[in-house]
Amino acid sequence: MSTTNCYHCGTSCEPIITIQEKYFCCDGCKLVYQLLDQNGMCQYYDLTQMPGLTAKGSFTSEKYNYLDSPSIQDQLVQQVSNEQAVVIFYLPQIHCVSCIWLLEHLNKINPGIIHSQTQFDKKEIKVVYNPSVISLKELVQLLAFVGYEPMIHLGGNDLISRKKVNRKQLFKIGIAGFCFSNIMMLSFPEYLSVEASELGLLRPFFIYLNLFLSLPVLFYSASGFFISAYTGLRQKWLNIDAPIALAIIVTFSRSVYEIITQTGAGYLDSMSGIVFFMLIGRWFQDKSYDSFSFDRDYTSFFPLAATQLVNGKEENQPLASIQKGARLLIRSDEMIPADATLLSEGALIDYSFVTGEHAPVEIPLGQMVYAGGIQKGRAIEVEVVKPVGQSYITELWNSPALQNEKNKMHSFVHPWSQYFTMVLLLIALGSGMYWWRVDPSKILPAITSVLIVACPCSLLLTVTFTYGNVLRWLGRSKLYCKNASVVESLEEIDTIVFDKTGTLTNHQDTYIEFMGEKLTIEDQIAIKSITRESLHPLSQLIANYYTGIDQFTKVESIQNHLGNGTRAKVGGKEYLIGSIKFLALQGVQLSSEIKGSSVALSIEGKFKGVFKINHIYRDGLAKLFQDLKSKKYHLYLLSGDKSTEQMQLAQMLGEDIPMNFEQQPDDKLAFIQKLQSEGRKVMMVGDGLNDAGALKKANVGIAVTDQSHLFTPASDAIIEGAKIPQIAQFLNYAKKGKLVIILIFILSILYNIIGMYFATRAALSPMIAAILMPISSISIVSLSALFTYLFAKGHFSKN
């Protein structure tokens, strides 16, 4: 029978479901088309050819009943009023302009949806709906119906809440900027007039207006600096905010003194400028990673609720209420939320996110299944042995070895800031003692001028803006660092440990090839017909291998042997498809020993060959390892997989790379601890929960993901999988960031020396001091941006 493509989703299928001369692969796709057609929304198909996603009709199941629970709704929904609620969902299926068009016109399908807006880059949809017309459950069912089932996980809403704008920080910046600009404008007449008498009564009015405008800057916008400095002093540590706070107080105090004594207009523009530029720098740094969550734990990957069987009835229960002995129903592609005993005949569990081994494991009746595994076959029933809080994953995550704090250490600049503050105070004291003996009238001008001109804002701005720019450029290149301390830690790394599966390889790029005797067309059709009926991923790979075969045949009989293979009869011939061990037990004579991941085939008892499973490694890995070795990094490879590809890896990466296979999470954690005990600064690059412990323990943990909004374990940085080959460039650029800070720091020291030379002589006029302060800050910001741009252009322009 010939095949065609589904009009909705493009899947190759038999033309047995037709409507209006259009073919569909399943009733689900046909129903979605009919829904869009009835609502006049077939423009969806005009924007992109076959844009839809296969809908199998499971949207009417009771799997979403838990969304009727008020406690669950409280976690997901922002209730604006009784007639309006807002919810944000992550939809990984969004891929084209047709998706956006359909999702933003949901109100045409259901009038209860007031408004919907998508963010393509984040694959998110924000829906404003009327809960009295359409419930949250019905909304999710509608999305699933049209092929966009939301990913709803435990802790997922916390991520959204962490993305909310820091309004307090913006208010502080806005108030400081407003006051600074107005104070500067009102100060121009003072600076430009030859004599104070030229301004007449306007002069005191402008001066006191400036004083009034400076008060919210001092007491509100600058409050963070005072709190930080006070906290540091209580801990007997002069942090970099201490001299900043001192400079603000001194500048304001001298300004008030000059205004009251009518000896000058003060330095209120400089004071407000210091605060404004500091806040801008810190906001800029924070914005580099506000769209990512680096502290997610295992709960972010878990569903909000599970289906519990009570007296034969299905009840959706929050995970927190699932206790030992509870009987759960786990449907296809659902996660097992707790360690449990399998009550069904068999299960096909994908533990890739727990162990790193991507191939699903077939589990027989009565065996243990562990939290974090995903059921790939038909629905199964399990009995909970340990609740979520006591499962294997929880024990791993709560390991005492993981409870350390890292990348919160002080910057390498902080000790310099402490010395800077001490030297500054000594110079101010020495200047005061000198003028006390020579001319007591110049004591206060000299001391305050020293503290104002030598303000360490240049030092703080250098660090804040340079690392802010470095974070921004790394983010543009798809490496998202948690904070500036991570950049400093990257510079110190001397050892790099790589995970294999999902890090050096991509789960989605696995391919298969047949090695053996040439098969007839009839045999190929039979093999595709047999394997297309199985849910096992390897069977699906084999079925997809024969893309050129557009015919199917009747399978007369089929027997699945759990964990081994399949025996089937087609056209009177017996086909065995499974493991080498399975074929050998059936009496098949194997011609040679087969190595690596493979599926064997025999026809009528005769061995025909194997389907070899190949992982596709990311491009550029050989050059990456060569570059890292040339820079004297110690490199290691850890993997939860078997060692079947060790020879291939050695040829690609180098035979001098130590490789450890079949590594459990505890093994990886212990390996990192061992390296650190030897004095190594370790960076771990991994992707799954099996790497979570190592990522958290390493000096720098980088989580790899091919979709940055999917779950990534707690980490210091997130890198997109395609950018793995650029790790050497990222490390080099991080080192250049420190070089930029040192260069600008030297320039700022020269500026301070020149400024203090005039300040100690009491020869610095208020006008010059007021002009030098903003010029110094602006020049530092400009140089930081220029240097980081030039270095980034040299590192990333070719990528």
Side-chain angles (χ1 to χ4, degrees), residues 515-542:
M515 303 176 63
E517 297 181 17
K518 184 177 182 180
L519 302 177
T520 65
I521 295 297
E522 291 77 10
D523 288 335
Q524 294 179 33
I525 294 173
I527 293 169
K528 183 167 186 177
S529 299
I530 295 169
T531 54
R532 71 190 287 259
E533 295 189 10
S534 173
L535 291 173
H536 197 292
L538 294 182
S539 296
Q540 294 175 6
L541 278 175
I542 295 173

Side-chain angles (χ1 to χ4, degrees), residues 271-283:
M271 186 274 290
S272 58
I274 293 171
V275 176
F276 178 63
F277 283 116
M278 296 298 122
L279 292 174
I280 284 287
R282 293 188 175 180
W283 174 85

Side-chain angles (χ1 to χ4, degrees), residues 92-162:
Q93 305 90 344
I94 297 178
H95 66 286
C96 67
V97 66
S98 291
C99 299
I100 297 174
W101 186 88
L102 173 60
L103 292 169
E104 293 190 348
H105 289 80
L106 292 174
N107 58 318
K108 290 186 177 182
I109 300 176
N110 191 307
I113 298 175
I114 301 171
H115 173 70
S116 56
Q117 182 179 6
T118 60
Q119 284 190 275
F120 182 79
D121 57 334
K122 298 180 179 180
K123 296 185 182 293
E124 288 180 352
I125 181 172
K126 179 181 180 181
V127 182
V128 181
Y129 68 99
N130 187 340
S132 63
V133 179
I134 180 174
S135 66
L136 179 64
K137 171 186 171 182
E138 292 169 340
L139 173 60
V140 173
Q141 285 180 336
L142 173 60
L143 288 170
F145 179 86
V146 294
Y148 299 90
E149 182 179 7
M151 294 186 66
I152 306 174
H153 290 149
L154 187 64
N157 200 52
D158 294 339
L159 171 60
I160 296 173
S161 65
R162 284 196 293 268

